[in-house]
Amino acid sequence: MLFDSHAHLDAPEFDGDREELFEKLVTEGDISYVVNPGVNLETSKHAIELAQKYPWLYAAVGFYPQETGDLDEDMLFLLEGLAKKEKVVAIGEIGLDYYWETVPHDVQQYWFRRQIQLAVRLGMPIAIHDREAHGDVMRILREEKAFENTKVLMHCYSGSAELARQYLKLGCYFSIAGPVTYKNVKKAPEVIAAIPLDHMCIETDSPYLTPTPFRGKRNDPSLIRYTAEKIAELKGVSYEEVAEATCETAKRFYGIE
């Protein structure tokens, strides 16, 4: 069975057929669990509502870097309240994104720190978004002593194998998404080799990052098997071993029995 560790099932792309998709996942798919992360207050609330409705679905709550421009202390207080609700298993996705220059770096960094502090205070793991900000993400996680005080997952990991090895020494977890199946991702073999299965999760990041051979179409958790198959190929192990190991890793990371 497969665990999709990061899928935005509250996204408007699913509004037309969400219930039908969920029924298909349960009756036809190999999906055992999905974690749906929020990117702001509204999506965090929606993620919780969905998680409370479906037994296999869990929620994470947080502000994505590009949503921190209007964040204030009152909203962070409301986020803390959401984090305490049933079936919320992490603070995320949080982090830094220097690709889109819509929110100043210092603003992103401030609220990244504040959300790490929230997670540590609540004893919750964190799911990290890092796009073209590798140095600052690592620095802030170290300065906030995140690795000593909670569990850290690098969502949709896009760094190098060397950076992965540095994170592994700190006890970090990684989530691998559809781009591992793309022909132009030349560093994938080295990265996958560097990360042991007991620290590896898999994800779709639905509705984005659709794996080959469906690239260009809407992604959903039923397509996560293609990511698992590619990891199995690169590691030289069976698909079943990857499916079972990454499911157990995600359950351990999120504290799901």
Side-chain angles (χ1 to χ4, degrees), residues 20 28 31 66 86 120 138-139 172 175 190 220-221 226:
E20 293 87 344
E28 300 177 22
I31 302 297
Q66 298 309 308
E86 186 180 2
V120 169
M138 172 68 91
R139 175 178 58 82
C172 192
S175 187
E190 187 180 2
D220 71 65
Y226 294 94

Side-chain angles (χ1 to χ4, degrees), residues 15 45 128 156 158 210:
D15 286 351
K45 290 176 183 176
I128 305 300
C156 193
S158 61
T210 310

Side-chain angles (χ1 to χ4, degrees), residues 76-95:
L76 190 67
F77 177 77
L78 293 175
L79 184 71
E80 180 171 354
L82 293 178
K84 296 175 181 178
K85 293 199 176 280
E86 186 180 2
K87 296 194 74 179
V88 177
V89 293
I91 301 297
E93 67 187 273
I94 63 175

Side-chain angles (χ1 to χ4, degrees), residues 28-219:
E28 300 177 22
D30 296 327
I31 302 297
S32 53
Y33 303 99
V34 178
V35 170
N36 182 12
V39 298
N40 53 31
L41 275 181
E42 181 182 356
T43 56
S44 293
K45 290 176 183 176
H46 194 188
I48 293 170
E49 290 169 0
L50 289 173
Q52 291 175 342
K53 186 176 179 181
Y54 297 94
W56 47 269
L57 185 58
Y58 291 80
V61 299
F63 278 79
Y64 171 82
Q66 298 309 308
E67 294 285 339
T68 58
D70 298 322
L71 182 52
D72 58 31
E73 293 296 335
D74 289 339
M75 295 168 73
L76 190 67
F77 177 77
L78 293 175
L79 184 71
E80 180 171 354
L82 293 178
K84 296 175 181 178
K85 293 199 176 280
E86 186 180 2
K87 296 194 74 179
V88 177
V89 293
I91 301 297
E93 67 187 273
I94 63 175
L96 302 175
D97 191 317
Y98 293 171
Y99 178 80
W100 301 106
E101 294 289 347
T102 54
V103 178
H105 294 182
D106 62 330
V107 174
Q108 293 187 43
Q109 291 178 23
Y110 176 80
W111 291 112
F112 183 28
R113 290 182 186 275
R114 297 289 283 120
Q115 291 182 93
I116 294 171
Q117 293 161 10
L118 172 62
V120 169
R121 187 165 69 251
L122 297 179
M124 301 183 72
I126 50 178
I128 305 300
H129 175 102
D130 172 7
R131 189 171 188 187
E132 298 188 8
H134 301 324
D136 282 346
V137 167
M138 172 68 91
R139 175 178 58 82
I140 290 172
L141 287 168
R142 283 180 177 272
E143 290 174 357
E144 295 297 328
K145 295 182 168 49
F147 300 107
E148 294 94 329
N149 294 304
T150 189
K151 290 178 287 187
V152 179
L153 175 70
M154 304 307 294
H155 139 68
C156 193
Y157 182 69
S158 61
S160 66
E162 177 54 37
L163 182 60
R165 285 188 279 268
Q166 293 178 40
Y167 271 120
L168 277 168
K169 291 178 182 178
L170 298 167
C172 192
Y173 292 75
F174 304 83
S175 187
I176 307 299
V180 74
T181 68
Y182 301 167
K183 292 181 179 179
N184 61 343
V185 182
K186 301 188 185 306
K187 60 186 176 182
E190 187 180 2
V191 169
I192 297 303
I195 303 172
L197 289 174
D198 64 359
H199 276 70
M200 182 186 292
C201 303
I202 53 176
E203 65 169 282
T204 56
D205 201 21
S206 309
Y208 321 108
L209 302 181
T210 310
T212 303
F214 300 97
R215 192 175 182 182
K217 299 181 180 180
R218 184 190 74 177
N219 200 4

